Every structure is written in C-alpha cells, then in structure tokens.
Amino acid sequence: MARPRRTEDLAAQLTETIAPRAKSLIITVYGDAVLPHGGSLWLGSLIDLMGLFGMSERIIRTSVFRLCKDDWLTNTQIGRRSFYRVTDSGKERFAAAERRIYAPLAREWDRGWDLLMVPPNALDAETRDALRRELTWQGFGAASATVYAHPNCDEAAMHRSLAELGVADKIVHMKASLDRAEGFGALRDLVRGCWDIDQLEHDYAAFLDHFRPVWAAVDAADTPDPASCFVLRTLMIHDFRRILLRDPMLPPDLLPADWPGQESRMLTRNLYRRLAGPSEAFLMQAATTANGPLPDAQPAFQGRFGGLESIPAG
C-alpha cells in the first residue's frame, strides 16, 4: 500500500490544482477563520496568511480594496497600520452561507417547495440577470423564465437578496407541496431541467478525489504541520463552498443513486474536525488585530458540522 503523502506536499499541490482567486479566497478566510474570532484582521497578517497560497502583497491589497467597495470589508487606520473587519452586510451574507456550509449531516424534507414568481416584463434585462445569478447561488432552479423553485430555501437570505436588488415588491413568493399520491418520476425529470445535476455530480466527484488523500495524510500524521493544516482547511472549505452554494440540496428521492454530495459533506465534516485544532493554533499565533492577538473563537464555532470534537492543537 502506498504511504500517505505529507500534509505540506498536499497543501502545495492542492493550492496549484484548485488555483483560487485572491478575492474569493479572502472571503473564505474571513468567513471560515477570521469571523469566529471577531471578524477583524491586520492587513499585514492577512498578507502573511495569503502568502501561504502563493499570493503577492500587491494582489492582496488590490483585492481588499475591491472587497471594501463591494461592502464585504471596511478599513480602520491606526497609525501606519490598516485593519480590515467584516461589515454588517458582510456578516449577513456570511451567516446565510454558514447555515448551509456547516450544517449537520441529517436533513429532513417535508415535500414542500418555495416558488418565486416573476411577472412578465416586471424587470429590466440587467435586473433580471442579476436576480437569476443571485438565486442560482442560493440553489434555486429555473422551472421557467418566470418561475424559480427550491425545496430547502433559506428564506431569510432569499428575502434579503430580493430587497438588495430592489425587487421585493415585484416578486411573488409562494409555498407549494408535492402531491403525496404521485411518484417521483416526472419530478426527477423536472429537476434535471431546472438544475445542472450532472455538473454538480462531476464537481463533487472531483472534490472527493482532491481531499480523500488529505484524510489519509492527516489520519497517518502524529503531529500534522499547523500551517499546512490551515492551508488545507481553507482550500477544502473554499472548494466545498464553491460547489455547495450552487447545490439546491435536493432530497435523496430526487437524486441519482450513489449521489456524491452527501459523501462530500461527510468527508468535509470529518476532515474539518481533524484540521480544526492545529489550524486554530496556527491562526492564533499568526494573526493580529487592532487590540492585539485574536480573541478566542466564539462558542458557535464548536457547533459547526453538528459539533467539533476536541482535537489536540498539535
């Protein structure tokens, strides 16, 4: 049997394979690692952390400037140092994503559906495209040009998005339920027309190929390298988030046999539990705020994925 690879080697390989964009990866770092510790970080610390992914100081400075323009971050200057913290709007967006990313494995479906009805000619072309993009990222599928459907909608996130786009008074939100007397055949056909199930299946399979070797390496290491654990944890959540936020989280009855989505969530949960201790130890040592070292993680951090096990920091 082949010997598991070192976590340091896997971190370098996956950084190259996944090739995340700086702006998007900074969002992942803030949402996954910084926000549980208060949401603020010295720019110098962020530059050092992003350097672990091979990103230059110039691209980090450009990216945080754009994230400020997009109302994700806000800047506070203290002397010659800049500190970037998550805005209130950013916290709302992170909270909506967090409810999906770190949810427990078990999930119930009551056969209910959320339907958004867009009256014909109610929106201009630009607004209609922006609405489609936002609803797609929330897992809605287009049943037609004027109807979007979701079986497990995050209503708070949906209503916030409609308000931000200025269309809350133009869209009709309705509830529907599947007729229990009917089978799933026609609905499965409808699902394939609303969502790109084949692409999601392909992306989840690639995710498993990327991170199964990480599990083998972490499981075999007595004391995995803390910096590499931070890189692997960040890349895993970044890659998982990229897929998950396009996934409508359809019930198993509507999905192909051997659907890799649930297996991907299980691997993410198990790996996160193993990486949390050493990666948190590294983060606490490497990061600085305007008030000194990072504060301890908020209690909700330990509730991710249904509860993180107590893992030695390494």
Side-chain angles (χ1 to χ4, degrees):
M1 180 180 294
R3 184 177 180 180
R5 299 177 61 185
R6 298 192 314 156
T7 54
E8 298 94 317
D9 296 335
L10 283 168
Q13 177 192 331
L14 283 172
T15 298
E16 183 176 350
T17 299
I18 295 173
R21 295 182 178 180
K23 182 179 171 183
S24 182
L25 189 64
I26 291 171
I27 289 175
T28 298
V29 168
Y30 264 88
D32 181 63
V34 179
L35 195 56
H37 293 275
S40 179
L41 197 62
W42 174 42
L43 177 60
S45 294
L46 180 62
I47 290 170
D48 289 343
L49 291 175
M50 301 304 289
L52 297 171
F53 303 90
M55 296 184 178
S56 69
E57 178 177 341
R58 182 185 61 81
I59 191 65
I60 301 311
R61 289 182 180 275
T62 300
S63 297
V64 295
F65 173 76
R66 290 173 178 168
L67 287 167
C68 287
K69 289 188 66 176
D70 293 342
D71 200 26
W72 280 99
L73 302 177
T74 186
N75 175 30
T76 299
Q77 196 77 22
I78 302 178
R80 299 181 63 182
R81 288 190 166 191
S82 294
F83 297 85
Y84 288 86
R85 65 174 177 82
V86 181
T87 63
D88 289 341
S89 173
K91 288 178 182 178
E92 290 182 4
R93 285 180 274 183
F94 278 130
E98 183 168 333
R99 287 192 291 271
R100 295 178 64 185
I101 295 170
Y102 307 107
L105 291 175
R107 201 170 87 255
E108 295 286 338
W109 184 46
D110 60 2
R111 298 197 181 192
W113 289 81
D114 287 277
L115 302 179
L116 294 181
M117 322 291 284
V118 184
N121 304 318
L123 309 177
D124 59 57
E126 183 178 352
T127 304
R128 187 169 58 249
D129 288 344
L131 175 66
R132 176 185 53 78
R133 287 193 301 270
E134 182 62 31
L135 293 179
T136 297
W137 276 107
Q138 291 190 29
F140 278 85
S144 72
T146 58
V147 178
Y148 292 89
H150 199 303
N152 288 292
C153 169
D154 182 335
E155 290 193 42
M158 180 267 291
H159 286 300
R160 189 195 74 244
S161 295
L162 296 183
E164 288 179 350
L165 290 170
V167 298
D169 60 341
K170 298 181 173 67
I171 308 298
V172 179
H173 176 212
M174 301 180 70
K175 296 282 189 178
S177 60
L178 180 66
D179 187 345
R180 295 176 183 270
E182 298 294 331
F184 292 105
L187 186 53
R188 288 195 189 100
D189 292 340
L190 179 62
V191 161
R192 284 199 169 273
C194 294
W195 290 277
D196 193 344
I197 299 299
D198 292 337
Q199 184 63 53
L200 281 171
E201 188 170 20
H202 174 272
D203 290 345
Y204 275 129
F207 175 87
L208 291 170
D209 287 343
H210 290 158
F211 289 97
R212 278 173 175 155
V214 176
W215 171 260
V218 172
D219 195 44
D222 293 330
T223 55
D225 174 60
S228 298
C229 287
F230 174 79
V231 171
L232 290 169
R233 165 184 158 184
T234 303
L235 289 173
M236 177 181 69
I237 290 298
H238 186 79
D239 206 28
F240 186 59
R241 172 177 69 92
R242 179 183 62 84
I243 306 168
L244 185 72
L245 296 186
R246 291 183 285 110
D247 186 348
M249 305 300 290
L250 294 167
D253 289 330
L254 306 182
L255 292 168
D258 301 320
W259 177 249
Q262 189 74 345
E263 192 172 355
S264 297
R265 178 174 287 279
M266 187 177 300
L267 175 62
T268 302
R269 179 200 65 181
N270 293 340
L271 253 179
Y272 201 90
R273 287 175 172 175
R274 296 297 294 271
L275 295 170
S279 62
E280 283 290 292
F282 170 78
L283 184 67
M284 294 293 287
Q285 177 271 327
T288 300
T289 73
N291 300 318
L294 282 181
D296 292 337
Q298 298 164 359
F301 176 77
Q302 291 296 326
R304 288 179 170 180
F305 296 108
L308 301 180
E309 298 169 351
S310 179
I311 301 295

